[in-house]
């Protein structure tokens, strides 16, 4: 058995930062965690000098759209998992709004097989809820399906569940985690008609009005209904991509493992606000929309105080041509998986978060939330999903550094102070700071249920 020593890093793990080293094996496990002068139990075959670097558990992104199958002109599993690996993301959970939609057991099996065949990092997929397929929930493989995805607001690849009897049945039909996109369609339609009339003489409604169309009121109306249904039924609810300060009143602070109702913040809503439409335009158009700076700052505070439990990306690549237009014509979504970790570490440099908080929200909490077996922590016996990052190593993002198939990022031209130096998936170096080893295939995530 080959042993590799990652030597002399600052380990960020379980709320602590300590100098140490980690031994990983070619069987994919963490064999030893060496801190406080503890010596090696046996020699190693290879040493990676991590002096000056931080060693983190690999990021677990519970919210990505890899567009495969059916939308591979935008992205595919191989291209987007390469981007994930380059960003220090070692596990992903893919959303069901593909073609065909992952709303039948057959489509789910096909999606999982595609991930096994093509994904460079570890993986799972959601089963998409419809108005009528909740009777299939009991037949899902609980060990390998991360959860149920429910659209209580229409978005890309409309999978809207809009019947109250269906919503109640969905919440009452499973104890699997129900991950919900919350926006009220009626409020959005009303707002949309108002702005279409106001800008009837123009080619499109300005993208700056997208946040008014997909408004804070639309978000709260839907998320409050989801929380109400979860409380009435005892369902396990995870509210995705929270975007408003008002919605935070629906959640409680505390350890993620003690909650039945949890919340996610996405990188875009932690970075951007409505003011950024002036410079970035439709590049930051997403659903739910970015809101005010006050909303952004409230989300940041909620991350720091354990009201929000997870940071994810809602990685949603489109061709740059799809982003033309305004509030009604431009596609919603942006590619973020490659730059999520360095973006959040940049907020560490700015004093917004601590590095321990970033690791908690991007690594530990997703593992706890989904009961992922043997991942998300630097622990002996766990799978060796690890990322080395170097601080005070500034670089500026150019188009040539983007691994996503769509070839663009709203962060182009931004200078980061942190650099991903190496990503290990199951003990294998899949990104060496320059290139991705796309001959490697990650493992199917296993859930302890």
């Amino acid at each position: 058995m080959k042993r590799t020593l990652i030597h002399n890093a600052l380990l960020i793990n379980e709320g602590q930062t300590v100098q140490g080293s980690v031994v990983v094996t070619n069987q994919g496990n963490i064999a030893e965690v060496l801190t406080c002068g503890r010596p090696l139990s046996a020699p190693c075959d290879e040493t990676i000098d991590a002096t000056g670097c931080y060693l983190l558990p690999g990021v677990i992104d519970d919210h990505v759209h890899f567009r495969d199958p059916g939308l591979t002109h935008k992205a595919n599993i191989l291209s987007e998992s390469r981007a994930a690996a380059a960003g220090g993301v070692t596990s992903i959970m893919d959303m069901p709004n593909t073609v065909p939609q992952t709303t039948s057991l057959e489509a789910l099996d096909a999606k999982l097989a595609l991930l096994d065949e093509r994904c460079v990092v570890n993986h799972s997929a959601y089963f998409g809820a419809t108005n009528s397929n909740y009777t299939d929930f009991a037949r899902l493989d609980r060990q390998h399906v991360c959860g149920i995805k429910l659209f209580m607001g229409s978005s890309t690849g409309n999978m809207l569940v809009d019947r109250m009897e269906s919503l109640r049945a969905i919440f009452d039909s499973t104890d699997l985690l129900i991950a919900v996109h919350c926006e009220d369609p009626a409020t959005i339609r009303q707002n949309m008609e108002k702005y279409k009339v106001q800008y009837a003489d123009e080619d499109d409604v300005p993208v700056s009005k997208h946040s008014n169309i997909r408004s804070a009121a639309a978000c709260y109306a839907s998320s409050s209904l989801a929380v109400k249904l979860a409380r009435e039924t005892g369902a396990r609810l995870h509210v995705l991509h929270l975007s408003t300060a008002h919605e935070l009143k629906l959640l409680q602070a505390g350890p993620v493992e003690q909650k039945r109702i949890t919340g996610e913040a996405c990188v875009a809503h932690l970075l951007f606000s409505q003011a950024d439409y002036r410079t970035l335009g439709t590049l930051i158009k997403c659903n739910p929309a970015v809101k005010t700076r006050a909303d952004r700052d409230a989300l940041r505070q909620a991350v720091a105080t354990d009201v929000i439990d997870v940071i994810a990306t809602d990685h949603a690549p489109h061709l740059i041509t799809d982003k033309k237009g305004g509030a009604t014509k431009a596609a919603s979504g942006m590619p973020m998986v490659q730059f999520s970790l360095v973006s959040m570490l940049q907020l560490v440099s700015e004093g917004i978060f601590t590095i321990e908080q970033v690791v908690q929200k991007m690594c530990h909490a997703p593992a706890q939330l989904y009961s992922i077996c043997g991942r998300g922590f630097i622990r002996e016996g766990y799978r060796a999903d690890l990322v080395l990052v170097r601080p005070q190593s500034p670089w500026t993002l150019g188009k040539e550094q983007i691994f996503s198939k769509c070839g663009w990022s709203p962060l182009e031209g931004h200078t980061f102070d942190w650099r991903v130096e190496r990503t290990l998936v199951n003990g294998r170096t899949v990104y060496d700071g320059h290139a991705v080893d796309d001959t490697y295939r990650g493992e199917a995530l296993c859930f302890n249920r």
Side-chain angles (χ1 to χ4, degrees), residues 45-65:
D45 304 279
E46 177 187 14
T47 297
I48 298 169
D49 183 6
T51 302
C53 290
Y54 290 82
L55 184 65
L56 321 179
V59 171
I60 300 171
D61 193 336
D62 73 346
H63 193 164
V64 304
H65 300 263

Side-chain angles (χ1 to χ4, degrees), residues 204-276:
D204 199 356
V205 177
V207 69
S208 59
K209 302 303 179 185
H210 184 61
S211 302
N212 303 77
I213 294 168
R214 288 183 173 261
S215 62
C219 293
Y220 187 82
S222 183
S223 53
S224 61
L225 174 59
V227 169
K228 178 176 181 289
L229 290 169
R231 287 175 176 160
E232 290 175 354
T233 61
R236 178 67 189 83
L237 171 66
H238 188 44
V239 185
L240 299 174
H241 41 41
L242 290 155
S243 62
T244 73
H246 195 192
E247 289 171 288
L248 299 174
K249 298 176 182 179
L250 300 167
L251 305 179
Q252 294 181 332
V256 63
E257 62 270 26
Q258 296 179 11
K259 298 181 184 181
R260 295 287 293 175
I261 298 172
T262 51
E264 169 197 279
C266 283
V267 171
H269 297 108
L270 294 171
L271 292 180
F272 304 123
S273 71
Q274 281 177 278
D276 294 305

Side-chain angles (χ1 to χ4, degrees), residues 4-60:
T4 298
L5 175 67
I6 304 172
H7 181 59
N8 198 33
L10 277 170
L11 277 54
I12 313 297
N13 191 51
E14 305 193 57
Q16 295 184 325
T17 300
V18 295
Q19 196 82 32
S21 301
V22 172
V23 178
V24 303
T25 72
N26 61 349
Q27 295 179 342
N29 293 324
I30 297 173
E32 298 182 58
V33 179
L34 307 170
T35 58
C36 302
R38 176 182 159 190
L40 280 168
S41 66
C44 289
D45 304 279
E46 177 187 14
T47 297
I48 298 169
D49 183 6
T51 302
C53 290
Y54 290 82
L55 184 65
L56 321 179
V59 171
I60 300 171

Side-chain angles (χ1 to χ4, degrees), residues 127-407:
F127 185 72
T130 70
N131 278 307
S132 58
N133 71 352
Y134 45 85
T135 56
D136 287 335
F137 292 175
R139 299 168 61 195
L140 295 172
D141 179 357
R142 300 170 56 83
Q143 305 305 310
H144 292 101
V145 177
C146 54
I148 308 296
K149 174 61 183 290
L150 170 62
F151 286 91
M152 290 176 63
S154 57
S155 190
T156 302
N158 189 0
M159 291 174 55
L160 177 65
V161 177
D162 55 0
R163 301 175 192 164
M164 184 56 67
E165 62 271 26
S166 296
L167 289 171
R168 288 192 179 278
I170 289 166
F171 276 84
D172 209 25
S173 294
T174 185
D175 61 355
L176 287 172
L177 180 145
I178 304 173
V180 186
H181 177 130
C182 291
E183 291 183 287
D184 180 57
T187 303
I188 292 170
R189 283 194 298 270
Q190 183 178 4
N191 292 337
M192 180 68 81
E193 290 309 311
K194 167 187 165 184
Y195 283 103
K196 281 184 175 179
V197 170
Q198 183 176 340
Y199 292 94
D201 294 334
E202 299 189 22
D203 185 56
D204 199 356
V205 177
V207 69
S208 59
K209 302 303 179 185
H210 184 61
S211 302
N212 303 77
I213 294 168
R214 288 183 173 261
S215 62
C219 293
Y220 187 82
S222 183
S223 53
S224 61
L225 174 59
V227 169
K228 178 176 181 289
L229 290 169
R231 287 175 176 160
E232 290 175 354
T233 61
R236 178 67 189 83
L237 171 66
H238 188 44
V239 185
L240 299 174
H241 41 41
L242 290 155
S243 62
T244 73
H246 195 192
E247 289 171 288
L248 299 174
K249 298 176 182 179
L250 300 167
L251 305 179
Q252 294 181 332
V256 63
E257 62 270 26
Q258 296 179 11
K259 298 181 184 181
R260 295 287 293 175
I261 298 172
T262 51
E264 169 197 279
C266 283
V267 171
H269 297 108
L270 294 171
L271 292 180
F272 304 123
S273 71
Q274 281 177 278
D276 294 305
Y277 285 128
R278 288 195 297 268
T279 54
L280 294 170
T282 59
L283 297 183
I284 60 167
K285 182 174 183 272
C286 58
N287 300 336
V290 297
K291 304 296 196 299
T292 67
R293 184 168 295 176
D295 287 311
R296 185 203 65 182
D297 292 347
L299 294 172
R300 291 177 174 184
Q301 180 66 17
V303 168
T305 56
D306 291 332
V307 173
I308 286 178
D309 304 282
V310 168
I311 296 173
T313 63
D314 193 9
H315 175 78
H318 293 282
L319 298 181
I320 193 65
T321 52
D322 295 335
K323 300 295 282 184
K324 292 181 179 179
T328 72
K329 295 180 181 179
S332 292
M334 64 189 89
M336 295 298 283
V337 74
Q338 186 178 344
F339 309 112
S340 59
L341 178 57
V342 291
S343 293
M344 294 302 95
L345 292 174
Q346 197 65 36
L347 295 186
V348 171
S349 295
E350 294 173 19
I352 306 299
F353 302 135
T354 67
I355 193 168
E356 293 85 1
Q357 287 169 334
V358 168
V359 168
Q360 171 63 29
K361 301 304 179 183
M362 300 185 81
C363 312
H364 300 337
Q368 294 169 311
L369 187 64
Y370 289 84
S371 298
I372 301 173
C373 300
R375 302 186 192 274
F377 295 85
I378 303 176
R379 292 174 178 170
E380 292 180 0
Y382 271 50
R383 300 301 280 163
D385 297 337
L386 301 165
V387 55
L388 273 174
V389 295
R390 186 176 295 278
Q392 299 175 348
S393 183
W395 60 283
T396 300
L397 175 59
K399 196 175 291 291
E400 70 282 358
Q401 294 155 301
I402 296 171
F403 281 85
S404 288
K405 185 176 180 179
C406 66

